[in-house]
Amino acid sequence: VTGVQTCALPICKIALVNAAVFELFTKEERRAELLVQGLESPISAMVAHPSAPQVFVTTEGPPSGAGGTLRILDYETQAWLRHKVIEKRRPTCLTLNPNGQEVVIGCSDGSLMILATADLDLIQRASQVEGEATLVDMSPDGMHIAMADSELCVGIYRRERNVLESGKEVPWLYLGRYRSHHAPIVEIGRASCR
């Protein structure tokens, strides 16, 4: 199942497309099922849950550029399950860990937000980058997060309990970032890091 977004303001739509539709020949056979229509702002990112009939959708905030919203859509019932307003940060990309228990959101200010999918509570916020987060992905074993940014760098986080300078204990350790690109990064590979 594939999600398709079309957005011509003021109407944004999310459609459900079965992968088999690409093998069909006539236009009439290649129809998608409309799931959602009329979101108030453009969709910035979407990702499907690995095992549940859910799609996680982030939308941009007001034109001023501050904020956005994360929503969870049940695509079988076509109902919104939960939502969270993201204040002061515009979401630009997102991913889910392989077991679907955490959603990772990259933002326009370079910050990374890790939320629990069950209740959308914030697990950790990290901000080691000046540029906009452009891509975020998690390793297949759920132990590493890679985030590409507009400064042509890739940063890595490892699941490892540690204590910040403020004394707060967090589950993700920032390992660093490296600039090895001369053009925008278009894909982050999913390899296990050991």
Side-chain angles (χ1 to χ4, degrees):
V1 177
T2 304
V4 174
Q5 170 220 326
T6 63
C7 191
L9 287 178
I11 299 173
C12 290
K13 302 175 184 178
I14 300 174
L16 182 69
V17 180
N18 189 312
V21 77
F22 298 103
E23 297 175 5
L24 302 174
F25 296 104
T26 66
K27 182 179 177 181
E28 293 75 29
E29 291 177 312
R30 292 188 308 257
R31 295 247 179 230
E33 176 186 352
L34 183 63
L35 295 178
V36 176
Q37 180 172 303
L39 291 171
E40 76 286 347
S41 56
I43 295 170
S44 55
M46 291 190 320
V47 66
H49 191 282
S51 58
Q54 299 172 352
V55 176
F56 290 69
V57 180
T58 55
T59 55
E60 298 175 4
S64 65
T69 305
L70 168 66
R71 293 180 175 88
I72 304 174
L73 172 69
D74 183 317
Y75 59 79
E76 289 181 343
T77 64
Q78 298 183 4
W80 293 110
L81 302 176
R82 289 178 294 290
H83 77 281
K84 180 177 185 76
V85 175
I86 300 168
E87 297 180 9
K88 302 178 185 174
R89 289 171 173 77
R90 184 174 52 84
T92 56
C93 51
L94 78 154
T95 191
L96 287 168
N97 72 353
N99 64 16
Q101 294 179 352
E102 295 170 320
V103 59
V104 181
I105 303 171
C107 299
S108 60
D109 65 353
S111 64
L112 191 72
M113 296 174 62
I114 304 164
L115 308 169
T117 56
D119 53 14
L120 299 183
D121 281 347
L122 182 67
I123 296 171
Q124 183 176 341
R125 179 178 304 136
S127 187
Q128 279 83 14
V129 180
E130 297 290 324
E132 178 174 311
T134 57
L135 295 168
V136 64
D137 205 354
M138 192 171 278
S139 64
D141 61 3
M143 295 301 292
H144 293 83
I145 297 171
M147 183 182 85
D149 61 54
S150 60
E151 296 177 348
L152 314 179
C153 298
V154 175
I156 303 291
Y157 296 81
R158 180 175 59 216
R159 186 182 303 274
E160 177 181 308
R161 291 230 174 259
N162 61 91
V163 179
L164 300 177
E165 291 176 4
S166 65
K168 180 181 178 185
E169 188 175 318
V170 293
W172 290 93
L173 174 66
Y174 176 68
L175 299 179
R177 62 195 273 260
Y178 185 70
R179 182 174 187 200
S180 63
H181 299 81
H182 63 279
I185 300 164
V186 296
E187 183 67 37
I188 298 176
R190 294 184 122 202
S192 291
C193 302
R194 294 185 188 215

